[in-house]
């Protein structure tokens, strides 16, 4: 490389062959030689270049030369070919320092004469800080600060290194730095060791817990008070090293924060204000010197809790009305979830106050504490006003926004239901223009009217029409009200929540109650009067009526039978032989005591009777079949009597046989009463309102499906039929809007198929077995299932033969635990979809669709078996999967004493090998199960993806938060015109993000869907409309008007433009003075 001579070398050159030869060909090529025409040409190095080299060939050859020289230098003298060879390599230190940029760093002057042996203890400290022995003090300090900045967790160790170097060098600057660090509260690991030594041996003191160390400290200073500063400093260092706030607070002997205040008094956040005062007293009695700190602690707690009671105690020594701790407040109201919304808390508060009125003050304190903690305006206004939503000025009025509905007492579900029905345009139009659809009560068709597969009575039609009129009044208010909320009438709530059947039962119970007043005896038997009214004053007119009615009771023989007028379904009256004359409004009941008790027992136990098989087995409820109030229907008590008396012929009137101590008699002669009958009670308005409120609260506890069924039933009863089907069932607008048809197919053991088609108003899905999506939930209703028929199992599946425009899905969350014998609510998540396609569930003769269904059923059956097997392998009593349990068993067997030990355990030969094989087999099986489950799930989910001709869009989601017996409802409704979701929470109507509706909540007691409404996608704009407002300001000017007969046509309500943000309403009416109208 140092000479420009590049003469080629013949590969047959004798010297070349002896020195290198063919075996070195590869090495020569590596060094840059080229071989051509039997000659080797040396590499073309730059001979004029100076070190350091940049030419690649020069760099390579220079490296090779240096390596060869070093190898030759390391060879023993006797093995060298050239014995006088000597090569002295240049030291690399300077070159390394130059490369690292540390040739000119500042060095300590003492490093030139330092005795390494005398400072050998310092070496780990230099290494800990990343320094060398000759570093100047300033660089040592710089290295310490950098280590602290980069690794703060090990700051005590770095401070110990600094302390050691400072002592070894006896450096004033380093010692000053150590003092500054220590005075700022920092400590070294050496300080920690010394601190523990103050409380005993190092190894023993480290094992002491916080309370023992504090107790040790108190004992030491009690014996030697002068040692308190040293011991308190040591205790503070231990507290910091342990990150123990308890020790730190105690050692600091200061109280500056809320946490320190609680710690000083020995309290926690759950302690209420009244007990804190007691803890203060105990603290001061133990040591009078703690009084000032204790008062400071109480003051800090009062500030943090904003406690007027503690402030009053600090100022006057008298404890005011204490505020409950937040944890205690939630416990008092029965909540373990602090994320509950305000409406749910209000509902629970109201229920508790009603059930335990003697604890109202305690509940109010709890609610006040929660309102303060949540900074809830709604709860605070509720406490101030006492109404369900507080005052109504909290939500700004917006004429282009839906109105909220005030809660009138546990009516959150009712409000959600009414909001939903209001957005259904055909239903809203029907209610607003009810006169066009109203059933004529004098029509001959009234007696033929059949709804829900049964006849309905005239009374039920009247009641239903009253319900629709109340609903119309509410809908009109929701459209025109110049406010953000409106209040439903109590009568509407009663008619909505209480069915006619329940109302009849309530009336019957009131008449047959064992608590009715005793009016005396006739022939030794009691005469029972009606339920007593509230105490009222008897006026003169009533006295006169009593005198006139005295003559109406003559000698007659009496028997207990059912009155066959229109009220016979709910009241029991007397018919005499001869007939007993009495005023129409006076009702008496003469009964045998034993028979009366039997009737009462029947009525009381009616709700405890088990459901029949039909009720418990149906997958979905087509309609709610309410009992009729027909003109000829006997009371339930008489029905029970007829059943218990098989010898009595229906339609034949017989006298009751009264059992006495003497011989039986067939007739009882009635003697005249010794005093006139009571005056019929006159109900006071406040009593009537109270009775309605009690009925509403009772009805609010019924099942959601019953309430919806009651609404649809009354709507159908109130309107006239558009046609009649073959079974006599009324077909009308409600039927066409909410009811579809489903068809079941059952195959017997001989292969014969039975079909049954019936109306359905909703689809009931179950989430008891775990989280699922909406398709999986619907599949469980329409998939093939084995049903018991005549003692044998037969396959049955259901299809939808007619889809309704408004598809309702009931999510059954109320479950029963047979082991604990309690009901509970399933909170499993139901994954909703904005659009679902119902093609897969339709009844069809298409052979391909049937084959797809059958394939899907087979896959699901196989999937169920795979999941069961996976559960067997992964869920053991030990809490681990089978492979893990087997591996633990193998480890245990291998740990047993072998044959070489004094007490060997005999293990069967080959057992460990067999278990090892079982582990491998189980793991392989789990892998195969996972793969097959994944593939089957994908096939099931994609089986019907191409069937999209029947899309339904999600419109409403009813939400419930709480437990099976109580909670709070609200509803989310989607506005298709504006493309947004709204939350209707009683009086609140707010916009929410879609995530709130669809995503699962990670809470202990989450809010979840209870009822879903999907609408047909192609008709959604004609089916639903979320906003319907035409605000009318109240009239302020009054003047006399002339009263004239109104011969105009009824007002017609209809939405002119459904696509407007605020629909404009066309109210067709005759043109006249608006004040007159």
């Amino acid at each position: 490389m140092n000479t420009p001579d590049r003469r080629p070398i013949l590969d047959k050159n004798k010297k070349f062959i002896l020195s290198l030869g063919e075996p070195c060909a590869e090495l020569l090529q590596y060094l840059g030689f080229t071989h051509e025409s039997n000659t080797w040409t040396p590499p073309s190095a730059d001979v004029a270049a100076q070190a350091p080299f940049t030419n690649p060939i020069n760099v390579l050859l220079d490296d090779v030369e240096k390596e060869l020289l070093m190898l030759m230098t390391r060879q023993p003298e006797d093995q060298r070919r050239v014995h006088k060879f000597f090569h002295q390599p240049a030291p690399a230190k300077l070159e390394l320092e130059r490369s690292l940029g540390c040739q000119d760093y500042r060095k300590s002057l003492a490093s030139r004469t330092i005795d390494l042996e005398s400072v050998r203890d310092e070496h780990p400290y230099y290494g800990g800080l990343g320094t060398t022995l000759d570093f100047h003090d300033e660089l040592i300090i710089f290295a310490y600060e950098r280590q602290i900045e980069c690794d703060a967790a090990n700051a005590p160790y770095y401070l110990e290194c600094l302390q050691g170097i400072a002592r070894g060098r006896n450096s004033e600057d380093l010692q000053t730095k150590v003092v500054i660090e220590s005075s700022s509260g920092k400590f070294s690991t050496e300080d920690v060791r010394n601190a523990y030594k103050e409380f005993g041996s190092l190894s023993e003191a480290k094992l002491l817990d916080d309370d023992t160390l504090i107790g040790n400290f108190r004992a030491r200073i009690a014996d030697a008070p002068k040692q308190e500063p040293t011991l308190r400093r040591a205790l503070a260092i231990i507290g910091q090293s342990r990150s123990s706030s308890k020790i730190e607070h105690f050692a600091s002997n200061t109280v500056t924060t809320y946490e320190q205040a609680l710690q000083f008094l020995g309290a926690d956040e759950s302690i209420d204000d009244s007990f804190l005062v007691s803890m203060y007293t105990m603290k001061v009695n133990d040591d009078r010197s703690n009084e000032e700190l204790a008062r400071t602690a109480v003051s800090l707690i009062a500030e943090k809790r904003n406690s007027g009671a503690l402030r009053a105690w600090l100022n006057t020594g008298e404890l005011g009305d204490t505020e409950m701790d937040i944890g205690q407040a939630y416990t008092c109201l029965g909540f373990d979830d602090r994320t509950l919304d305000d409406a749910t808390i209000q509902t629970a508060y109201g229920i508790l106050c009603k059930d335990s009125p003697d604890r109202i003050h305690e509940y109010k304190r709890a609610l006040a504490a929660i309102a303060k903690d949540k900074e809830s305006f709604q709860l605070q206004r509720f406490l101030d006003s006492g109404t369900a939503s507080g005052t109504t000025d909290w939500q700004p009025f917006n004429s282009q926004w839906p109105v909220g509905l005030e809660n009138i007492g546990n009516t959150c579900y009712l409000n959600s239901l009414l909001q939903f029905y209001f957005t259904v345009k055909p239903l809203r139009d029907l209610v607003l223009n009810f006169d066009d659809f109203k059933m004529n009560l004098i029509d001959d068709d009234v007696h033929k009217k059949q709804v829900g597969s049964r006849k309905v009575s005239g009374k039920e039609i009247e009641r239903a029409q009253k319900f629709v009129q109340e609903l119309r009044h509410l809908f009109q208010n929701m459209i025109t009200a110049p406010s953000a909320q409106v209040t439903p009438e109590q009568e509407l709530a009663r008619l909505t929540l209480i069915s006619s059947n329940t109302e009849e039962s309530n009336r019957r119970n009131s008449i047959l109650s064992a608590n009715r007043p005793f009016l005396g005896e006739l022939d030794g038997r009691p005469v029972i009067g009606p339920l007593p009214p509230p105490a009222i004053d008897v006026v003169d007119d009533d006295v006169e009526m009593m005198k006139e009615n005295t003559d109406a009771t003559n000698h007659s023989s009496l028997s207990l039978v059912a009155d066959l007028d229109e009220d016979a379904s709910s009241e029991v009256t007397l018919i005499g032989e001869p007939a007993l004359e009495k005023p129409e409004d006076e009702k008496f009941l003469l009964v045998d005591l034993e028979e009366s008790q039997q009737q009462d027992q029947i009525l009381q136990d009616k709700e405890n009777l088990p459901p029949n098989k039909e009720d418990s087995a149906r997958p979905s409820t087509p309609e709610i079949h309410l009992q009729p109030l027909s003109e000829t229907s006997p009371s339930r008590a008489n029905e029970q009597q007829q059943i218990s008396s098989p010898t009595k012929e229906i339609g034949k009137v017989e006298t009751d046989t009264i059992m006495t101590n003497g011989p039986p008699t067939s007739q009882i002669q009635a003697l005249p009463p010794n005093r006139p009958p009571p005056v019929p009670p006159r109900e006071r308005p406040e009593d009537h309102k109270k009775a309605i409120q009690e009925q509403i609260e009772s009805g609010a506890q019924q099942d959601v499906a019953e309430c919806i069924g009651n609404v649809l039933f009354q709507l159908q009863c109130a309107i006239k039929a558009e046609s009649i089907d073959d079974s006599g069932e009324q077909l009308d607008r409600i039927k066409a809007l909410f009811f579809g048809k489903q068809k079941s197919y059952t195959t017997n053991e001989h292969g014969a198929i039975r079909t049954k088609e019936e109306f359905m108003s909703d689809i009931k899905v179950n989430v008891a077995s775990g989280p699922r999506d909406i398709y999986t939930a619907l599949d469980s209703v329409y998939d093939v299932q084995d049903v018991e028929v005549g003692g044998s199992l037969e396959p049955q599946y259901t299809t939808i033969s007619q889809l309704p425009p408004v598809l309702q899905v009931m999510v059954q969350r109320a479950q029963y635990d047979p082991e604990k014998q309690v009901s509970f609510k399933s909170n499993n998540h139901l994954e909703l979809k904005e659009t679902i396609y119902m093609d897969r569930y339709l009844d069809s003769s298409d052979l391909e669709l049937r084959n797809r269904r059958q394939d899907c059923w087979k896959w699901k059956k196989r999937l169920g078996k795979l999941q069961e097997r996976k559960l067997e392998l992964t869920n053991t009593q030990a809490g681990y999967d089978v492979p893990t349990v087997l591996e633990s068993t193998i480890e245990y067997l291998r740990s047993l004493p072998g044959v070489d030990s004094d007490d060997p355990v005999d293990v069967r030969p080959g057992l460990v090998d067999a278990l090892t094989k079982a582990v491998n087999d189980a793991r392989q099986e789990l892998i195969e199960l996972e793969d097959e489950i994944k593939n089957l799930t994908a096939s099931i989910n994609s089986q019907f993806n191409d069937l999209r001709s029947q899309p339904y869009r999600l419109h409403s989601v009813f939400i419930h938060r709480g437990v099976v017996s109580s909670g709070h409802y609200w509803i989310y409704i989607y506005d298709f015109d504006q493309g947004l979701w709204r939350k209707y929470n009683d009086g609140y109507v707010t916009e929410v993000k879609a995530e709130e509706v669809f995503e699962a909540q990670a809470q202990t007691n989450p809010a979840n869907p209870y009822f879903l409404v999907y609408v047909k996608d192609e008709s959604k704009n004609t089916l639903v409309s979320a906003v319907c407002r035409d605000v009318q300001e109240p009239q302020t000017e009054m003047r006399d008007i002339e009263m004239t007969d109104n011969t105009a046509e009824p007002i017609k309500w209809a939405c002119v433009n459904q696509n407007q943000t605020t629909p404009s309403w066309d109210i067709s009416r005759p043109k006249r003075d608006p004040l007159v109208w």
Side-chain angles (χ1 to χ4, degrees):
M1 185 176 68
N2 297 326
T3 174
D5 188 5
R6 293 184 68 246
R7 288 180 298 171
I9 304 172
L10 292 174
D11 54 6
K12 296 187 181 298
N13 185 290
K14 183 177 180 181
K15 188 175 182 179
F16 171 77
I17 293 174
L18 293 175
S19 300
L20 299 172
E22 189 64 27
C24 295
E26 187 176 352
L27 173 60
L28 292 173
Q29 290 176 353
Y30 171 77
L31 294 176
F33 285 79
T34 58
H35 186 258
E36 288 184 6
S37 303
N38 300 322
T39 60
W40 288 92
T41 304
S44 56
D46 186 0
V47 296
Q50 299 294 325
F53 302 111
T54 57
N55 186 301
I57 294 297
N58 290 56
V59 173
L60 174 63
L61 295 177
D62 184 61
D63 289 343
V64 171
E65 180 184 10
K66 296 298 188 293
E67 290 181 19
L68 288 173
L69 290 173
M70 288 303 301
L71 290 173
M72 293 168 65
T73 303
R74 292 181 181 178
Q75 289 294 325
E77 185 75 22
D78 58 343
Q79 295 181 13
R80 296 179 186 173
R81 297 282 299 271
V82 181
H83 295 283
K84 294 183 179 180
F85 170 81
F86 178 78
H87 173 72
Q88 180 65 42
K93 181 180 179 182
L94 292 177
E95 189 64 23
L96 289 174
E97 289 178 347
R98 183 186 64 80
S99 300
L100 296 175
C102 58
Q103 285 182 327
D104 300 325
Y105 66 88
R106 192 174 180 186
K107 297 182 176 62
S108 172
L109 296 177
S111 65
R112 300 176 183 177
T113 58
I114 194 168
D115 182 6
L116 295 179
E117 290 298 323
S118 64
V119 294
R120 60 182 180 275
D121 292 339
E122 300 176 12
H123 294 176
Y125 297 144
Y126 284 108
L129 295 182
T131 63
T132 61
L133 294 174
D134 61 351
F135 267 35
H136 193 273
D137 291 349
E138 291 182 359
L139 288 179
I140 296 290
I141 295 173
F142 170 78
Y144 164 77
E145 292 176 345
R146 288 294 297 164
Q147 292 285 48
I148 294 291
E149 182 179 350
C150 298
D151 186 16
N154 289 313
Y157 169 70
Y158 299 129
L159 183 56
E160 182 179 2
C161 293
L162 186 64
Q163 288 175 336
I165 296 173
R167 283 197 305 270
R169 289 190 173 188
N170 196 21
S171 168
E172 183 178 349
D173 292 340
L174 295 181
Q175 290 176 352
T176 301
K177 179 65 176 178
V178 169
V179 171
I180 292 173
E181 293 293 279
S182 300
S183 62
S184 64
K186 295 179 181 179
F187 57 90
S188 67
T189 50
E190 184 180 8
D191 295 334
V192 175
R193 291 192 296 270
N194 294 333
Y196 276 114
K197 290 177 182 179
E198 293 288 345
F199 296 93
S201 66
L202 178 62
S203 57
E204 293 177 357
K206 281 188 173 182
L207 299 178
L208 300 178
D209 59 25
D210 294 354
D211 292 330
T212 303
L213 279 171
I214 293 174
N216 196 334
F217 168 84
R218 286 172 172 165
R220 292 282 300 278
I221 62 173
D223 295 338
K226 293 182 178 181
Q227 293 184 3
E228 181 176 355
T230 302
L231 292 174
R232 192 174 293 279
R233 166 66 179 166
L235 194 63
I237 291 174
I238 294 174
Q240 291 181 56
S241 66
R242 289 187 176 188
S243 298
S244 170
S245 58
K246 185 174 186 178
I247 293 180
E248 288 186 60
H249 296 163
F250 182 84
S252 64
N253 202 31
T254 58
V255 179
T256 58
T257 66
Y258 173 67
E259 291 75 15
Q260 289 177 354
L262 291 174
Q263 186 69 44
F264 182 80
L265 294 177
D268 54 48
E269 293 187 359
S270 63
I271 301 299
D272 62 16
D273 294 347
S274 58
F275 196 66
L276 274 172
V277 175
S278 301
M279 301 190 78
Y280 164 87
T281 304
M282 294 171 57
K283 190 76 173 178
V284 173
N285 289 340
D286 289 343
D287 187 353
R288 298 298 300 179
S289 63
N290 289 329
E291 182 174 3
E292 183 177 352
L293 278 176
R295 287 189 65 85
T296 302
V298 174
S299 177
L300 287 169
I301 295 172
E303 282 298 318
K304 175 67 175 179
R305 295 183 177 182
N306 193 20
S307 171
L310 290 179
R311 291 195 187 99
W313 179 83
L314 288 169
N315 294 329
T316 65
E318 296 291 334
L319 189 65
D321 192 9
T322 60
E323 296 178 359
M324 191 175 292
D325 174 74
I326 186 61
Q328 188 179 1
Y330 276 103
T331 302
C332 178
L333 296 183
F335 297 127
D336 57 1
D337 182 3
R338 298 194 183 188
T339 63
L340 293 175
D341 58 89
D342 294 348
T344 302
I345 295 173
Q346 285 179 208
T347 302
Y349 170 81
I351 294 173
L352 289 171
C353 289
K354 180 180 178 182
D355 293 344
S356 304
D358 55 321
R359 298 182 62 188
I360 287 179
H361 180 68
E362 180 183 0
Y363 295 143
K364 191 170 184 179
R365 287 177 56 218
L367 188 62
I370 294 174
K372 180 192 294 184
D373 180 71
K374 296 183 67 175
E375 298 182 354
S376 169
F377 177 79
Q378 180 184 355
L379 291 180
Q380 191 58 53
R381 299 291 280 184
F382 172 70
L383 284 167
D384 296 340
S385 65
T387 59
S389 296
T391 59
T392 59
D393 58 357
W394 56 268
Q395 180 170 324
F397 168 66
N398 184 349
S399 62
Q400 300 182 7
W401 199 254
V403 298
L405 296 179
E406 290 288 342
N407 192 312
I408 58 174
N410 297 336
T411 58
C412 53
Y413 174 72
L414 170 67
N415 289 342
S416 300
L417 190 63
L418 294 174
Q419 291 282 16
F420 158 61
Y421 283 135
F422 181 77
T423 64
V424 181
K425 287 162 59 177
L427 173 61
R428 185 172 64 211
D429 293 342
L430 182 149
V431 171
L432 292 173
N433 301 290
F434 175 53
D435 293 338
D436 294 343
F437 305 93
K438 187 176 181 180
M439 179 77 184
N440 192 343
L441 290 174
I442 62 174
D443 195 333
D444 294 337
D445 292 336
V446 169
H447 301 287
K448 302 177 184 179
K449 190 179 183 72
Q450 179 175 312
V451 176
S453 303
R454 73 169 179 81
K455 300 289 186 182
V456 294
S457 66
K459 263 194 170 183
E460 287 178 305
I461 297 175
E462 290 181 8
R463 185 185 193 274
Q465 291 181 349
K466 182 179 180 182
F467 161 72
V468 179
Q469 289 166 353
E470 292 286 344
L471 188 60
R472 176 172 61 182
H473 176 67
L474 175 67
F475 281 7
Q476 289 171 347
N477 283 345
M478 293 173 71
I479 295 171
T480 62
S483 60
Q485 298 90 18
V486 297
T487 304
E489 296 292 337
Q490 283 193 331
E491 182 66 10
L492 173 61
R494 185 184 72 84
L495 293 171
T496 305
L497 296 172
I498 303 176
S499 66
S500 56
N501 206 26
T502 304
E503 189 175 56
E504 177 190 12
S505 176
N506 291 340
R507 286 196 301 156
R508 186 184 300 116
N509 285 338
S510 69
I511 291 176
L512 298 182
S513 170
N515 297 323
R516 295 171 61 196
F518 178 69
L519 302 183
E521 294 184 353
L522 288 178
D523 198 19
R525 291 181 299 167
V527 178
I528 308 300
L531 286 173
I536 57 174
D537 296 330
V538 180
V539 297
D540 293 341
D541 292 342
D542 294 334
V543 175
E544 291 296 323
M545 185 170 62
M546 289 171 59
K547 293 178 180 178
E548 294 173 3
N549 291 339
T550 304
D551 298 332
T553 55
N554 298 323
H555 299 280
S556 58
S557 63
L558 306 175
S559 64
L560 179 62
V561 296
D563 186 6
L564 299 181
D565 66 2
E566 193 166 325
D567 251 356
S569 62
S570 60
E571 297 177 346
V572 180
T573 58
L574 286 177
I575 295 181
E577 294 183 18
L580 181 68
E581 296 179 0
K582 58 184 180 62
E584 183 64 22
D585 56 354
E586 290 188 20
K587 309 278 180 171
F588 294 90
L589 183 62
L590 181 61
V591 297
D592 178 73
L593 281 176
E594 181 179 356
E595 185 173 340
S596 173
Q597 293 172 357
Q598 291 175 355
Q599 293 177 353
D600 289 339
Q601 186 64 35
I602 290 171
L603 291 172
Q604 292 170 4
D605 292 344
K606 178 183 66 175
E607 299 300 332
N608 296 324
L609 296 176
N612 56 35
K613 183 177 179 181
E614 268 185 357
D615 293 336
S616 61
R618 60 184 179 183
S620 62
T621 304
E623 300 180 65
I624 302 299
H625 293 176
L626 305 176
Q627 293 295 329
L629 298 179
S630 61
E631 286 75 12
T632 59
S633 64
S635 69
R636 184 60 58 87
N638 290 333
E639 288 178 358
Q640 299 288 354
Q641 287 178 347
Q642 293 171 5
I643 295 172
S644 62
S645 305
T647 59
K648 184 178 291 186
E649 298 180 13
I650 297 175
K652 182 177 180 180
V653 179
E654 297 183 3
T655 58
D656 292 339
T657 300
I658 309 299
M659 301 301 296
T660 63
N661 292 330
T665 59
S666 59
Q667 288 185 338
I668 302 299
Q669 297 296 325
L671 300 177
N674 55 12
R675 57 194 177 98
V679 178
R682 295 183 178 180
E683 191 174 39
R684 294 182 295 184
E686 55 270 25
D687 296 327
H688 179 67
K689 291 181 179 179
K690 181 178 179 181
I692 291 179
Q693 181 63 32
E694 291 176 353
Q695 293 183 45
I696 292 172
E697 293 176 356
S698 174
Q701 306 303 321
Q702 70 175 318
D703 185 73
V704 171
E706 292 180 8
C707 183
I708 295 176
N710 180 42
V711 171
L712 297 180
F713 175 78
Q714 291 191 96
L715 288 170
Q716 288 188 271
C717 288
I719 63 177
K720 53 191 175 184
E722 295 181 348
S723 62
I724 305 294
D725 69 3
D726 295 338
S727 65
E729 180 75 9
Q730 170 177 306
L731 302 179
D732 49 48
R733 293 200 173 192
I734 300 299
K735 201 76 144 183
L737 189 61
F738 293 100
F739 287 79
K741 287 185 178 180
Q742 60 185 16
K743 193 173 185 180
S744 62
Y745 294 81
T746 308
T747 306
N748 63 18
E749 58 184 359
H750 303 295
I753 299 177
R754 302 188 307 276
T755 62
K756 180 181 179 182
E757 188 176 39
E758 58 185 356
F759 285 105
M760 64 159 185
S761 61
D762 60 59
I763 302 173
K764 289 181 171 58
V765 300
N766 203 311
V767 293
S769 58
R772 58 190 57 193
D773 65 5
I774 184 64
Y775 279 125
T776 305
L778 291 172
D779 288 348
S780 65
V781 177
Y782 295 104
D783 283 350
V784 65
Q785 304 174 35
D786 290 331
V787 296
E788 184 178 353
V789 179
S792 61
L793 294 178
E794 298 180 356
Q796 181 187 83
Y797 70 92
T798 307
T799 61
I800 300 176
S801 54
Q802 177 183 321
L803 280 166
V806 179
L807 180 65
Q808 302 179 119
V809 180
M810 171 69 68
V811 184
Q812 294 180 312
R813 294 193 176 274
Q815 307 294 330
Y816 182 76
D817 187 340
E819 294 183 359
K820 298 180 180 179
Q821 297 187 350
V822 294
S823 297
F824 67 95
K825 177 190 172 186
S826 171
N827 285 315
N828 290 323
H829 177 59
L830 178 63
E831 180 184 341
L832 305 180
K833 297 185 182 296
E834 289 187 17
T835 304
I836 59 174
Y837 300 91
M838 300 299 293
D839 308 64
R840 65 186 72 180
Y841 307 115
L842 291 181
D843 189 61
S844 174
S845 59
D846 184 6
L847 182 60
E848 181 187 357
L849 179 58
R850 291 185 180 181
N851 291 335
R852 285 197 193 187
R853 287 176 180 162
Q854 291 175 358
D855 289 342
C856 201
W857 296 338
K858 292 177 182 177
W859 296 339
K860 289 179 179 179
K861 189 173 183 180
R862 172 63 179 165
L863 181 62
K865 292 181 178 179
L866 293 175
Q867 290 172 336
E868 289 179 3
R869 177 57 180 164
K870 180 183 175 182
L871 187 62
E872 292 175 357
L873 293 175
T874 57
N875 188 16
T876 65
Q877 293 182 353
Y880 302 96
D881 59 19
V882 170
T884 303
V885 172
L886 293 177
E887 287 176 341
S888 299
T889 304
I890 293 171
E891 291 179 5
Y892 172 74
L893 292 176
R894 287 174 174 169
S895 67
L896 294 176
V899 293
D900 298 334
S901 64
D902 297 335
D903 188 16
V905 176
D906 186 21
V907 177
R908 191 176 66 185
L911 177 58
V912 172
D913 294 337
L915 289 175
T916 303
K917 183 178 182 303
V919 169
N920 297 331
D921 292 344
R923 291 202 183 280
Q924 183 61 32
E925 185 178 1
L926 278 173
I927 293 173
E928 293 173 356
L929 285 172
E930 289 285 357
D931 291 341
E932 190 171 357
I933 288 173
K934 182 179 179 181
N935 294 334
L936 279 176
T937 303
S939 298
I940 292 170
N941 292 338
S942 62
Q943 180 72 342
F944 303 101
N945 281 353
D946 59 323
L947 301 180
R948 294 173 174 263
S949 63
Q950 296 293 334
Y952 275 73
R953 295 287 300 277
L954 184 61
H955 170 255
S956 301
V957 181
F958 288 73
I959 298 292
H960 177 265
R961 186 202 292 275
V963 295
V964 71
S965 59
S966 64
H968 179 62
Y969 282 96
W970 67 87
I971 185 174
Y972 296 110
I973 297 179
Y974 188 69
D975 188 336
F976 289 102
D977 294 328
Q978 299 187 32
L980 55 88
W981 282 96
R982 293 186 182 91
K983 179 181 180 180
Y984 297 73
N985 189 358
D986 288 337
Y988 299 81
V989 181
T990 55
E991 181 180 351
V992 297
K993 295 181 179 179
E995 290 80 5
E996 182 174 330
V997 182
F998 292 95
E999 291 184 357
Q1001 298 182 1
Q1003 297 176 358
T1004 304
N1005 184 22
N1008 32 45
Y1010 234 90
F1011 193 80
L1012 316 173
V1013 179
Y1014 284 86
V1015 296
K1016 205 163 190 174
D1017 183 57
E1018 63 183 15
S1019 308
K1020 63 180 180 296
N1021 291 328
T1022 58
L1023 288 173
V1024 291
S1025 174
V1027 180
C1028 177
R1029 299 281 275 141
D1030 183 19
V1031 178
Q1032 297 180 5
E1033 296 296 333
Q1035 301 288 347
T1036 56
E1037 179 184 355
M1038 302 296 294
R1039 61 181 176 85
D1040 294 335
I1041 59 174
E1042 179 183 356
M1043 303 300 294
T1044 60
D1045 293 335
N1046 184 6
T1047 60
E1049 293 295 326
I1051 298 174
K1052 305 291 184 183
W1053 297 75
C1055 191
V1056 174
N1057 186 354
Q1058 304 292 353
N1059 295 321
Q1060 293 180 354
T1061 302
T1062 304
S1064 59
W1065 287 84
D1066 176 24
I1067 305 179
S1068 302
R1069 61 191 180 208
K1071 295 181 179 179
R1072 59 177 70 186
D1073 189 330
L1075 288 178
V1076 176
W1077 179 78

